[in-house]
Amino acid sequence: MSGFRSMLMTALACACLAAGPAAALDFKPYGRGDFAKIVKAHAGRPLIIHFWSVTCPPCIVELPQWAKLLDAQKGVDIVFVNTDGDEDRPRADARAEKAGLGKAAHYGFADDFVEKLYFEADKGWRGELPFTALVAPDGAVTTVTGAVDDPLVVKWLAKTAGK
Amino acid sequence: MNALRHSFRLLLALGAPLALGAPMALGALLGAPAAMAEEHAPASATAPATPPAAPAAASHHAAPACSEPKPACAMTVNPAFDSKGALWVAFAVGKTVYVASSTDGGKSFSAPATIATIADGVIDSHGDARPKIVPLADGALLASYTTRPDKQMIGTIFTARSTDGGKSFSAPQALLNEGGQRFETFVVTPKGRIYAGWLDKTNMLKAKAEGKEFEGSGVAFGWSDDHGQTFQGKKILLDHACECCRMSSALDKDGQPVFVWRQVFEGNIRDHYAAKLSADGATLTGGRVSDDNWAINSCPHHGPGMTIDANGVWHVVWFTKGKNRQGLFYAQSRDGGKSFSNPEKFGDDAKAPGHPVAIATKGRLYRVWKEFDGTTTSIASQTSRDGGKSWSAPRVIAETADASDHPELVANKNAAYLSWVTHKEGYRLIPLPRDDKSASVK
């Protein structure tokens, strides 16, 4: 019995250690209705909502670019949404940290009804990544599939951020 | 062959570093030199320290429909009928891969056999990636799954066999012990040879180690003549497939396997390529399915579907957002992939159509896909009784109002079925309608 208790204590200790250091980034849950909530929360300011995944190599490649953009575009709010499930979140955490996005605002998909989440951001979005929603101060949304250097992003920044 | 040679030329041209849009413009905005030259995430590099999984109480993800070892609790389910008419499914719940069978059309399942439980990392069981089950003619079962342990985008494909009717499985074996592989698919010939196709990052890793640019993954193949115990001839035959979309496969009229995948053509154009593997597994013969010209530096996560009918006609369905066409499309090849018919559009663009699949059964051809209207996810189906020349009006054969898997199609003798798992309704095996008349006018 004491052996069992000892094993149990050890198992619990291991579990605590395993759960130990919390994820470095605070990924807020992103579910149904959250696209509109985020837009509302940033109303009146230019906002970029960037969706990415650790299973998307082009996303990983450009993450450092987003870090630079975050630094350079102080007048623009940028929010990152990781579309992976919980099981991939530690990897997403590590990638975002490595890219220099440790202090950015991060959300993580917290709902498997992904069609709904895609639809709320753009009725035509089928889940391809990276995907970026550019939200003007008046709430007008422009969406872009692909890299941060897409001419649409550049043009939107130049116009909206006044650069 | 000409088409393939031409494709190889295109791929050779891909050896040059790719321009990634207009970095200078962004660089100017950033007030710094463009840094888009940064290489792809070095999958071969030591993975960053992976923090332990957060405790369940801190989990942000929606609670799964259930966590029991049954298909209804899985996000993805791969189905196949055996020669006696039993339905087999492979699926993952949490960190465990299971196989189970049903003899009542998916209403109930046998106690699941555990293929493997992984200690860390992730089992590929979302979207285009999922465990597989392949019933063999001698009653044996071949199961496969992919793990992504700790390194970014590096997968390992494992296979396991059962020779006791699915009660137990052999210890899983890695298909390859180096490089990185994902998106396996299997085809069994009438003589019992099992061909495997998969996307393979080995050449990408080599290129990265040499500091070279490399787009996508290799397309690799191998075969087994011992019922899946070992695979021989494992080799990358083509490079630069889109690295985040599944491959599909089918058996040609002559008993040889055909594969289709999203290829990265020159200019980062992610269109589709279909090719037949030679009997010795050494060469591919086929061609580009269409000139959608989807030039995009992104991951569609949206692979094509394929079936081959009794006349040897290749039928391909796919999704694109190309410059030349956008949406779901169908095309067929009557000359072994040398040429394809003009792409025919299907699906309702107002309902975000996606994830098309196709299957041929005796005298019937079906295409099935997913649509979403903002509230309800539907699976729509069309039937052709004239080899794909004309199609019946789309008919919704299943719906759900919450999370769901992509549709899968499976055949048993002359009947075809939709296999679909949804959060609310659980697992469903739905017969495809055989009585739909093909539309007289498309």
Side-chain angles (χ1 to χ4, degrees), chain A residues 15-23 86 90, chain B residues 51-61:
Chain A
C16 291
L17 284 173
D86 266 358
Chain B
S59 173
H60 295 317
H61 215 225

Side-chain angles (χ1 to χ4, degrees), chain B residues 131-311:
Chain B
K132 310 279 191 321
I133 181 71
V134 185
L136 303 175
D138 65 353
L141 295 159
L142 174 66
S144 75
Y145 63 94
T146 299
T147 63
R148 287 183 285 115
D150 290 318
K151 296 179 181 176
Q152 179 74 18
M153 288 304 294
I154 289 298
T156 302
I157 298 168
F158 289 90
T159 60
R161 297 176 71 248
S162 173
T163 55
D164 60 3
K167 293 186 185 72
S168 65
F169 280 78
S170 59
Q173 296 180 26
L175 186 66
L176 288 158
N177 289 309
E178 57 183 20
Q181 298 81 32
R182 291 184 78 199
F183 299 115
E184 76 279 15
T185 181
F186 299 94
V187 192
V188 186
T189 72
K191 292 180 179 176
R193 172 173 280 191
I194 306 167
Y195 283 100
W198 65 90
L199 300 187
D200 196 308
K201 290 221 160 202
T202 304
N203 288 347
M204 183 279 280
L205 296 175
K206 286 179 186 169
K208 292 297 174 193
E210 294 167 4
K212 296 175 183 172
E213 288 283 346
F214 189 99
E215 284 297 316
S217 291
V219 185
F221 305 92
W223 69 88
S224 173
D225 286 327
D226 57 9
H227 311 280
Q229 292 180 68
T230 59
F231 281 84
Q232 306 169 50
K234 291 173 276 192
K235 189 177 179 184
I236 294 172
L237 294 188
L238 199 66
D239 267 322
H240 311 303
C242 181
E243 62 273 47
C244 39
C245 297
R246 71 174 181 202
M247 293 178 76
S248 287
S249 58
L251 193 64
D252 207 351
K253 188 181 177 184
D254 63 1
Q256 281 307 116
V258 179
F259 299 84
V260 61
W261 62 90
R262 193 184 291 279
Q263 178 72 19
V264 186
F265 293 93
E266 186 174 14
N268 223 342
I269 291 171
R270 296 186 185 234
D271 288 354
H272 293 91
Y273 198 90
K276 180 188 281 191
L277 189 63
S278 61
D280 62 1
T283 57
L284 287 169
T285 306
R288 185 168 174 165
V289 176
S290 63
D291 60 341
D292 302 335
N293 285 333
W294 191 6
I296 191 79
N297 184 28
S298 81
C299 261
H301 294 116
H302 217 135
M306 140 169 278
T307 189
I308 298 176
D309 65 25
N311 295 318

Side-chain angles (χ1 to χ4, degrees), chain A residues 17-24 26-30 32 53-62 64-65 68-70 72-73 84-91 93-95 98 108-117 119 123-131 145-151 153-155 157-158 163, chain B residues 20-23 25-26 29-30 33-36 38-42 48-55 59-62 64 75 121-122 126 148-153 182 201 243-244 270 294 296-302 319 321 327-328 350 352-355 370 372-375 377 400-406 423:
Chain A
L17 284 173
D26 176 23
F27 284 93
K28 296 182 184 68
Y30 183 96
R32 295 166 219 195
S53 162
V54 296
T55 64
C56 161
C59 299
I60 303 298
V61 172
E62 69 165 19
Q65 286 298 299
K68 288 176 190 268
L69 193 63
L70 197 63
Q73 300 287 330
D84 299 307
D86 266 358
E87 65 275 18
D88 267 321
R89 204 78 76 213
R91 240 174 290 223
D93 188 305
R95 283 292 166 187
K98 185 180 177 185
F109 266 25
D111 191 331
D112 285 328
F113 195 6
V114 292
E115 290 83 4
K116 183 82 171 174
L117 305 187
F119 192 90
K123 289 179 182 178
W125 183 25
R126 244 56 63 83
E128 52 276 17
L129 294 168
F131 183 87
T145 302
V148 61
D149 63 331
D150 186 285
V153 178
V154 175
K155 192 175 168 186
L157 280 171
K163 295 254 176 173
Chain B
L20 296 173
L26 183 68
L29 280 167
L30 295 173
M36 291 304 288
E38 175 163 341
E39 293 184 0
H40 270 212
T50 305
S59 173
H60 295 317
H61 215 225
M75 276 308 299
V122 175
H126 273 76
R148 287 183 285 115
D150 290 318
K151 296 179 181 176
Q152 179 74 18
M153 288 304 294
R182 291 184 78 199
K201 290 221 160 202
E243 62 273 47
C244 39
R270 296 186 185 234
W294 191 6
I296 191 79
N297 184 28
S298 81
C299 261
H301 294 116
H302 217 135
F319 166 77
K321 279 190 177 176
L328 301 188
H355 304 290
K370 200 171 188 178
F372 181 65
D373 65 4
T375 304
T377 300
T400 192
D402 209 303
S404 62
D405 189 9
H406 300 338
H423 244 58

